[in-house]
Amino acid sequence: MKFTEMLNERWQNAGSMLCVGLDPNPTRFPHELAGRSTAIYDFCCGIVDATADLVCAFKPQIAYFASCGAEAELTAIIEYIHTNYPKVPVILDAKRGDIGSTAEHYAREAFERFKADCVTLSPFMGFDTIKPYLAYEEKGAFILCRTSNPGGDDIQMLKVNGERIYERLARLAATEWNLSGELGLVVGATYPNELANVRRIAPNLPLLVPGIGAQGGDIHACVQAGQTANHTGMVINSGRAIIYASAEDEWKDAARKVAIATRDAIRVAAC
Amino acid sequence: MKFTEMLNERWQNAGSMLCVGLDPNPTRFPHELAGRSTAIYDFCCGIVDATADLVCAFKPQIAYFASCGAEAELTAIIEYIHTNYPKVPVILDAKRGDIGSTAEHYAREAFERFKADCVTLSPFMGFDTIKPYLAYEEKGAFILCRTSNPGGDDIQMLKVNGERIYERLARLAATEWNLSGELGLVVGATYPNELANVRRIAPNLPLLVPGIGAQGGDIHACVQAGQTANHTGMVINSGRAIIYASAEDEWKDAARKVAIATRDAIRVAAC
């Protein structure tokens, strides 16, 4: 099934635009996992079990696995999600950005090795960096557009012929770049005005929205700005605020409670 | 020793601005390695032995290792270079581009896990994507500036207040972003005019120059445009044209011959 179809089904059937970010940092793990050789796997699968019915997607961030050589764990965690929650798509947050045969190798990494349903990409090198991923017709790709960090201004807010770079990227992703129909855009929750602009330029593209929770973006403002006409269209990521809600023995329950509250806050805002 | 010091010593003592790109693609390996479980390691170390005295740096491209789960081989190959050719710096071509704690994890991947001396980075998310790497004071970082592919135009050539994006990046990398003194820029050999512009804006930064060899960039034009006042300053990468010079039993000799010819062509041009 195509990534956007999975996402649509999930928005409708789970009634959720919440995405839980899997950013496993062993220094913040629950006490009961301390010293366990399978801690990364146990932690991520614990969070998955506690939140799968509440989410439209999971988003593992590959840097957290790469820094400690945990590629085998990443593979196993994605397999665990596919096996136990086959309707929940997995977005591999990798922000790869390269061209030609190198990009083909990165696409193979994301889709064949790790079996992700979708990947995040950086457009700095242009359409050449996106095209090799479109050969995988069912797979999705979220392109960085307006990121949630202050330094995002350095390039994305520059204006060319009356159009800012992030607006230009939104326009390209919504039109000539979207050969597979499976493109989406990454737009930070910290900039609701730009989120509204992107939604105007790309009325139907899925938007991956980081920046709520630990990063401080306002849920109500960002949903109002970014939802589609039918009150869906967003994949709103929260990582640390959910997965590190508690380090005590009740860590899974604590994560679930924050996930429910976040899903519901998004639901209330999407009216 | 700082990355730029290693590079300077290498330019002087080896008299070479050639960098050999280690892009191991098993489908193009020499026949004698077919079916060998250690083929990636044997191939890369064979190329390293055949060319180490001819180069200023080696540049493994991490995508080729990631696509087939060969992180252990990448670790071992970099260790092999450090042990046997300790004066030759290793540039990990990863083009990472993320922020905050994610970027810290990517920096750890490059410098602590793989023990590279330098990494390539994408600046699309601004200075926030560069800063975490500067905490490693001896390590280098080449920032994408003007890439060798046609799609590079999509963003890099856009003009803002009379300055193109790639020129702006060159200016920032040469001044306010360069807190460690260890930044460089990636500028494709296929655009000698832009290479000359970058050199004008950043008279002393090392330039990593892909795009000669298989990609067709002209060595003479690119060296004339990109060299510093003392006829160094460039890390000119050639991958496929050297490492796949032959698939027959004499593959190491063939790689060495092409590497010598390329180094010498660069030398002749740098006058």
Side-chain angles (χ1 to χ4, degrees):
Chain A
M1 190 187 281
K2 279 176 176 280
F3 171 70
T4 53
E5 290 169 6
M6 290 181 80
L7 211 47
N8 263 307
E9 282 207 358
R10 211 59 208 152
W11 286 328
Q12 302 302 336
N13 300 340
S16 176
M17 294 198 283
L18 173 65
C19 171
V20 169
L22 301 174
D23 306 348
N25 181 346
T27 63
R28 302 188 65 179
F29 278 0
H31 309 312
E32 69 174 21
L33 298 182
R36 221 191 269 183
S37 66
T38 56
I40 291 176
Y41 179 82
D42 293 348
F43 176 72
C44 289
C45 293
I47 294 290
V48 165
D49 286 336
T51 61
D53 61 315
L54 310 171
V55 305
C56 66
F58 285 111
K59 182 177 75 62
Q61 166 51 259
I62 197 170
Y64 287 83
F65 298 87
S67 63
C68 59
E71 282 81 12
E73 287 85 341
L74 176 58
T75 305
I77 291 160
I78 295 177
E79 194 181 339
Y80 183 86
I81 298 170
H82 288 332
T83 302
N84 294 284
Y85 310 100
K87 290 179 188 298
V88 181
V90 175
I91 302 162
L92 186 66
D93 196 355
K95 299 187 179 67
R96 300 296 189 237
D98 214 310
I99 55 168
S101 56
T102 304
E104 287 167 22
H105 280 267
Y106 276 134
R108 203 175 300 165
E109 177 195 29
F111 298 144
E112 298 185 34
R113 179 183 184 193
F114 291 122
K115 303 202 190 314
D117 300 294
C118 182
V119 70
T120 58
L121 299 177
S122 173
F124 182 71
M125 295 172 79
F127 184 58
D128 299 351
T129 54
I130 314 298
K131 204 175 169 195
Y133 297 84
L134 307 181
Y136 295 80
E137 292 178 2
E138 307 234 301
K139 303 292 190 177
F142 282 105
I143 298 173
L144 295 181
C145 175
R146 176 63 177 129
T147 58
S148 56
N149 59 310
D153 293 4
D154 290 339
I155 290 184
Q156 300 155 23
M157 288 298 278
L158 298 176
K159 200 177 247 182
V160 181
N161 300 329
E163 187 186 40
R164 295 197 190 272
I165 302 270
Y166 82 90
E167 294 170 324
R168 181 187 177 86
L169 286 166
R171 181 169 56 76
L172 289 168
T175 56
E176 57 192 270
W177 285 7
N178 199 2
L179 304 177
S180 64
E182 296 299 302
L183 291 187
L185 294 161
V186 180
V187 187
T190 42
Y191 300 108
N193 289 341
E194 284 95 317
L195 200 42
N197 272 343
V198 169
R199 181 49 81 206
R200 188 178 42 74
I201 297 164
N204 301 311
L205 289 200
L207 303 183
L208 174 60
V209 181
I212 66 160
Q215 288 182 64
D218 179 71
I219 289 178
H220 186 82
C222 99
V223 172
Q224 286 289 314
Q227 63 182 335
T228 52
N230 71 350
H231 307 294
T232 63
M234 301 176 79
V235 178
I236 301 177
N237 187 71
S238 181
R240 288 165 280 175
I242 291 174
I243 69 177
Y244 302 121
S246 169
E248 306 305 320
D249 288 356
E250 71 281 8
W251 58 279
K252 289 182 216 174
D253 289 340
R256 181 168 178 81
K257 271 183 199 147
V258 180
I260 289 172
T262 312
R263 178 201 60 179
D264 291 349
I266 293 169
R267 254 188 206 165
V268 168
C271 294
Chain B
M1 190 187 281
K2 280 176 177 279
F3 171 69
T4 51
E5 290 169 6
M6 290 181 80
L7 211 47
N8 263 308
E9 283 208 356
R10 210 61 206 151
W11 286 327
Q12 302 301 336
N13 300 338
S16 176
M17 294 199 283
L18 173 66
C19 171
V20 169
L22 301 173
D23 306 348
N25 182 347
T27 64
R28 302 187 63 178
F29 278 0
H31 309 311
E32 69 175 21
L33 298 181
R36 219 190 271 182
S37 66
T38 56
I40 291 177
Y41 179 82
D42 294 347
F43 176 71
C44 290
C45 293
I47 294 291
V48 165
D49 286 336
T51 60
D53 61 316
L54 310 172
V55 304
C56 65
F58 285 111
K59 182 177 76 62
Q61 165 52 259
I62 196 171
Y64 287 83
F65 297 88
S67 64
C68 58
E71 282 82 12
E73 286 85 341
L74 177 58
T75 306
I77 291 160
I78 294 177
E79 195 182 335
Y80 183 85
I81 299 170
H82 288 331
T83 303
N84 294 286
Y85 309 100
K87 290 179 188 298
V88 181
V90 175
I91 302 163
L92 185 66
D93 195 356
K95 300 187 180 65
R96 300 298 189 237
D98 214 309
I99 55 168
S101 56
T102 304
E104 287 167 20
H105 280 267
Y106 276 133
R108 204 175 300 163
E109 177 195 29
F111 298 144
E112 298 185 33
R113 180 184 185 193
F114 292 121
K115 303 202 189 314
D117 300 294
C118 181
V119 70
T120 59
L121 300 176
S122 172
F124 183 71
M125 296 174 78
F127 184 58
D128 299 352
T129 54
I130 313 299
K131 204 177 168 192
Y133 298 84
L134 307 182
Y136 296 79
E137 292 178 2
E138 308 234 300
K139 303 291 189 176
F142 282 105
I143 298 173
L144 295 181
C145 176
R146 176 63 176 130
T147 57
S148 56
N149 60 311
D153 292 4
D154 290 340
I155 290 183
Q156 300 154 23
M157 287 298 278
L158 298 176
K159 200 176 246 183
V160 181
N161 300 329
E163 186 185 40
R164 296 198 189 271
I165 301 270
Y166 82 89
E167 294 170 326
R168 182 186 178 85
L169 285 165
R171 181 169 54 78
L172 289 167
T175 56
E176 57 191 91
W177 285 8
N178 199 4
L179 305 177
S180 64
E182 296 300 302
L183 292 187
L185 293 161
V186 180
V187 188
T190 42
Y191 300 109
N193 290 341
E194 284 97 316
L195 200 44
N197 272 343
V198 169
R199 181 50 80 206
R200 189 178 43 75
I201 297 164
N204 301 310
L205 289 199
L207 304 183
L208 174 59
V209 182
I212 65 158
Q215 289 181 63
D218 179 71
I219 289 177
H220 187 81
C222 99
V223 171
Q224 285 290 313
Q227 64 182 335
T228 52
N230 71 351
H231 307 293
T232 64
M234 301 176 79
V235 178
I236 301 176
N237 187 71
S238 181
R240 288 165 280 177
I242 291 174
I243 69 179
Y244 301 123
S246 167
E248 307 305 322
D249 287 356
E250 71 280 8
W251 58 278
K252 291 182 215 174
D253 288 339
R256 181 169 179 81
K257 271 183 200 148
V258 179
I260 290 173
T262 312
R263 178 201 62 180
D264 291 348
I266 294 168
R267 254 188 207 167
V268 168
C271 294

